[in-house]
Amino acid sequence: MLKSANPNLTAADQRRLARRLQIQDAALELVMQHGYDGFTMDDLAEAAGVSRRTLFNHVADKESSVLGPMEEDEDIPVVAEFRAGGPTGDLMQDLVITAQRIMDEAQEEDTCAVERHLRVEDAMRRDPKLMALVDARFARFTALAAEAICARQQWPDDDLRARAIATALLALIRLSLEELRDRPDNPGLGDAFREVIAAFNDCADIARPPSA
Amino acid sequence: MLKSANPNLTAADQRRLARRLQIQDAALELVMQHGYDGFTMDDLAEAAGVSRRTLFNHVADKESSVLGPMEEDEDIPVVAEFRAGGPTGDLMQDLVITAQRIMDEAQEEDTCAVERHLRVEDAMRRDPKLMALVDARFARFTALAAEAICARQQWPDDDLRARAIATALLALIRLSLEELRDRPDNPGLGDAFREVIAAFNDCADIARPPSA
């Protein structure tokens, strides 16, 4: 199992996180062996070495056992700051800063986040069903980002501008996650994203010559 | 079946296109009924009302019978112009113009391209296997776009800048395809893409105040 430690968590939260990650590792292993539809939650409890009751204390359903919990962004402080117009006041810049902070925090919580993500990608390739679930999750993140942008800008729900930039942002996040494979220098989630954004901005600069 | 007519094609090419689209409609119907793995090429020949031999004269394999042929971009004149640095010389602008032209041409070739695309989306929702194939196809289009950008800019293969802008471009194209559903005004492929790009650029303008 991939061990993870975060000194900012209480001992109880640390145990809780360790247990959830232990379940996720077991679930990913079952997907690799039998496919997403090829195992039951009872099989997962057995593979993870916990009771069925303990299992459901830690994961809501099969999907979150494999992919991790789906947090609603509103609960995250950095997203609240973004919705309120921060941290700098520049929409595109704040969108990138907020995404970086979320990725840095994910890495801080789970120091093995990169390895775990690569295991999810392996399992996705093993089973198209899991790939469809990951697609659906990215679509949900895109919708959450668009909703936060509309709230901040006081644009109507479902504004196409918000959906367009949220779509590009999440596609670049996904590219940065793909970038993590085969990297001997072992960058973190946030670093890989910063590299992708820097590369994207280089091109925007090529297109838009500096103002005279 | 969705009928399509393109006055610029010879009668023989028109018949060929009609036959291919007839096969694609039958293939999509079979995916909806039995799933992607639930029918054989013999079943498809029967459903399309053609011989097995005729079937393979028109489609290379099961995937292209359902999704249409995968054209290599280099063969397309507008892509050759892009690779050579045209049409305007501005990288980002030319990328958008070239994508628009490709979508306009696709619509011109198959006047029912929008309806057919919506049927592919329905079939994707029916079967995750098809969704994985569509994902793989978008990944391939993204790689082709990145390759064309590298050729134009004389950047090394696999340059992260090229992959970043190709990723954002293809994500916005995919958003524009999703936009086509439930639109009483019935925009074409190219028009839907132009709307998405205009929305995206509006946000970039918010972020970057006009040069003084």
Side-chain angles (χ1 to χ4, degrees), chain B residues 103-104 107 114 176 180 185-194:
Chain B
M103 293 175 93
D104 286 337
Q107 176 102 50
V114 170
S176 74
L180 291 166
D185 57 333
N186 223 349
L189 296 174
D191 294 327
F193 178 64
R194 273 181 277 275

Side-chain angles (χ1 to χ4, degrees), chain A residues 90-93 128-129 131-132 135 153 155 160-165 167-168 171-172 174-175 179 192 195-196 198-209 211-212, chain B residues 90-93 128-129 131-132 135 153 155 160-165 167-168 171-172 174-175 179 192 195-196 198-209 211-212:
Chain A
D90 175 313
L91 172 62
M92 300 294 259
Q93 207 177 320
K129 175 82 180 268
M131 186 170 292
D135 280 359
Q153 303 293 114
W155 288 343
L160 184 57
R161 288 169 297 182
R163 282 182 296 133
I165 56 176
T167 295
L172 293 174
R174 212 165 172 176
L175 174 62
E179 286 299 297
E195 284 177 22
V196 166
F200 184 85
N201 284 340
D202 268 359
C203 292
D205 289 345
I206 291 171
R208 291 190 191 80
S211 49
Chain B
D90 174 312
L91 172 61
M92 300 292 260
Q93 206 176 321
K129 176 81 180 270
M131 187 171 292
D135 280 359
Q153 302 294 112
W155 288 343
L160 184 57
R161 290 170 294 183
R163 281 184 296 132
I165 56 176
T167 296
L172 293 174
R174 212 164 170 176
L175 174 63
E179 286 299 296
E195 284 177 21
V196 165
F200 184 85
N201 285 339
D202 269 357
C203 292
D205 289 344
I206 291 171
R208 291 190 190 80
S211 50

Side-chain angles (χ1 to χ4, degrees), chain B residues 34 57 119 130:
Chain B
H34 307 290
N57 276 335
R119 285 194 190 175
L130 189 61

Side-chain angles (χ1 to χ4, degrees), chain B residues 52-68:
Chain B
R52 191 182 160 84
R53 188 177 161 158
T54 303
L55 178 63
F56 281 105
N57 276 335
H58 288 276
V59 295
D61 50 28
K62 198 180 203 177
E63 184 190 317
S64 51
S65 76
V66 175
L67 296 180

Side-chain angles (χ1 to χ4, degrees), chain B residues 62-167:
Chain B
K62 198 180 203 177
E63 184 190 317
S64 51
S65 76
V66 175
L67 296 180
M70 172 80 205
E71 284 171 58
E72 296 295 318
D73 280 358
E74 295 121 69
D75 304 336
I76 305 177
V78 298
V79 175
E81 186 178 355
F82 174 82
R83 294 170 80 96
T88 74
D90 174 312
L91 172 61
M92 300 292 260
Q93 206 176 321
D94 287 350
L95 201 59
V96 167
I97 291 171
T98 304
Q100 283 171 354
R101 286 176 172 180
I102 291 172
M103 293 175 93
D104 286 337
E105 282 178 13
Q107 176 102 50
E108 207 176 295
E109 189 194 67
D110 173 8
T111 52
C112 296
V114 170
E115 293 79 355
R116 219 170 312 269
H117 168 72
L118 294 176
R119 285 194 190 175
V120 171
E121 278 194 355
D122 289 338
M124 270 166 57
R125 289 197 188 104
R126 160 77 178 75
D127 188 348
K129 176 81 180 270
L130 189 61
M131 187 171 292
L133 290 173
V134 171
D135 280 359
R137 190 165 270 211
F138 269 95
R140 179 96 188 100
F141 283 129
T142 305
L144 285 169
E147 193 273 323
I149 294 164
C150 290
R152 171 186 168 124
Q153 302 294 112
Q154 300 180 290
W155 288 343
D157 285 355
D158 223 42
D159 190 289
L160 184 57
R161 290 170 294 183
R163 281 184 296 132
I165 56 176
T167 296

